[in-house]
Amino acid sequence: MGGTTKATVTEVEVAGRTVRLSSPDRVIFPQRGFTKADVFHYYLAVGDGIMRALRDRPTTLQRFPEGIEGEAFFSKRVPARGVPPWVSTAQITFPSGRTAAELCPTDLAHVAWAAQMGTVVFHPWPVRAADTDSPDELRVDLDPQPGTDFADAAAAAGELRALLAELGVTGWPKTSGGRGVHVYLRIQPRWTFVEVRRATIALARELERRRPDLVTTSWWKEERGARVFVDFNQMARDRTIACAYSLRANARATVSTPVTWDELPDVDPDDFDLATVPARLAERGDPHAGIDDEAWDITPLLEWAERDAAAGQGDMPYPPDHPKMPGEPKRVQPSRDRDRPR
């Protein structure tokens, strides 16, 4: 082979389709020595879990063709040429009104093809192909701020679990692959992105009221303090989170891993990585196995949002790259807002 991996191409049968794997020895995670073939076969090994997270969802691909220390880019459009004829797409609409045909996995071969294309991280939209404007997944992103860590995020998640229990709703937790915790709710696909984001803000504010020492909804970093930020803007259109069983692009090759509520306080997110998660899934099954069993009516959260608005707590700022939205407050850092009451 002349010492090069360029000509090394194998064909792998996945979900009844033939998927090419080229340059299998290319190192993707240098500090761990994990190769492109390791990434490819990792995704096959967690196939049931990752398809539960990705099936029929438009998915943005975070690609690292030369490994995680090389150039990276987000692929929001399936290439017009050189794509197997069986690759499925779904049309999504960006906040700008532009559209794109994104990869929409219908079987594990789509995930394998994406891995062959250098994908390390999968970022699905919280919608299905049948209705790409109506989320069926409400995502709560618990993001530790400086001075806090994973234990604080897990504690905040425990408070959220109790709140959801009062509402009669099941939440599904997972590690972020870093220091954070994600909690997903399956919801009925009846509302717009704007409405689901409002519901998420209302849920976050109620959590903050109960544990103001631990949780914050402050969009501006200067106001958050050493607390766990509930990043409500992860429910804005075209904002996505690494899905369950997705690798993360860090030196340890960690995985965003579903866990049970009972084990969440005691896990170390660094223990979940490319090498360990396949065995965990095989031995224990998927803690998110029941996530599709029931979809929730978010009306109670929308009623909370109306209550908060009547009390003077209206909308919150959108991400900087998002068009200005009706009813949105100024996107001005409080310390720089000359009109802000002192």
Side-chain angles (χ1 to χ4, degrees), residues 211-267:
R211 286 297 306 273
D213 60 315
L214 178 64
V215 173
T216 180
T217 61
S218 296
W219 176 245
W220 304 106
K221 291 182 179 180
E222 64 187 33
E223 296 186 327
R224 292 177 189 171
R227 293 179 288 179
V228 177
F229 172 53
V230 185
D231 189 355
F232 50 84
N233 270 330
Q234 294 295 3
M235 284 310 307
R237 182 185 287 272
D238 194 31
R239 292 290 285 245
T240 56
I241 299 176
C243 73
Y245 297 103
S246 175
L247 291 163
R248 302 308 308 267
N250 57 40
R252 287 192 55 81
T254 60
V255 172
S256 184
T257 306
V259 294
T260 66
W261 280 112
D262 289 342
E263 68 180 330
L264 177 62
D266 300 315
V267 299

Side-chain angles (χ1 to χ4, degrees), residues 183-204:
V183 179
Y184 285 7
L185 312 179
R186 279 289 185 269
I187 64 174
Q188 297 169 9
R190 293 168 42 195
W191 295 276
T192 65
F193 275 95
V194 169
E195 290 169 322
V196 176
R197 178 179 171 276
R198 285 183 65 219
T200 305
I201 291 171
L203 182 62

Side-chain angles (χ1 to χ4, degrees), residues 98-290:
R98 294 182 299 109
T99 61
E102 282 206 331
L103 181 72
C104 187
T106 56
D107 59 31
L108 191 56
H110 288 72
V111 178
W113 174 79
Q116 154 63 15
M117 298 293 287
T119 300
V120 171
V121 190
F122 290 83
H123 294 264
W125 281 48
V127 300
R128 308 276 188 174
D131 185 353
T132 58
D133 291 320
S134 300
D136 74 327
E137 191 167 73
L138 189 155
R139 300 167 174 176
V140 182
D141 180 7
L142 300 170
D143 184 12
Q145 300 303 291
T148 63
D149 57 17
F150 178 81
D152 297 295
E159 297 288 343
L160 176 62
R161 180 192 188 187
L163 177 55
L164 294 175
E166 293 175 22
L167 292 165
V169 187
T170 300
W172 303 88
K174 66 182 180 73
T175 66
S176 69
R179 298 184 308 129
V181 174
H182 302 153
V183 179
Y184 285 7
L185 312 179
R186 279 289 185 269
I187 64 174
Q188 297 169 9
R190 293 168 42 195
W191 295 276
T192 65
F193 275 95
V194 169
E195 290 169 322
V196 176
R197 178 179 171 276
R198 285 183 65 219
T200 305
I201 291 171
L203 182 62
R205 280 175 167 156
E206 183 63 25
L207 188 62
E208 181 182 36
R209 277 190 282 269
R210 296 185 180 204
R211 286 297 306 273
D213 60 315
L214 178 64
V215 173
T216 180
T217 61
S218 296
W219 176 245
W220 304 106
K221 291 182 179 180
E222 64 187 33
E223 296 186 327
R224 292 177 189 171
R227 293 179 288 179
V228 177
F229 172 53
V230 185
D231 189 355
F232 50 84
N233 270 330
Q234 294 295 3
M235 284 310 307
R237 182 185 287 272
D238 194 31
R239 292 290 285 245
T240 56
I241 299 176
C243 73
Y245 297 103
S246 175
L247 291 163
R248 302 308 308 267
N250 57 40
R252 287 192 55 81
T254 60
V255 172
S256 184
T257 306
V259 294
T260 66
W261 280 112
D262 289 342
E263 68 180 330
L264 177 62
D266 300 315
V267 299
D268 182 341
D270 281 350
D271 289 341
F272 302 135
D273 62 25
L274 184 152
T276 62
V277 168
R280 170 185 162 87
L281 180 59
E283 292 167 7
R284 303 191 183 192
D286 184 3
H288 283 194

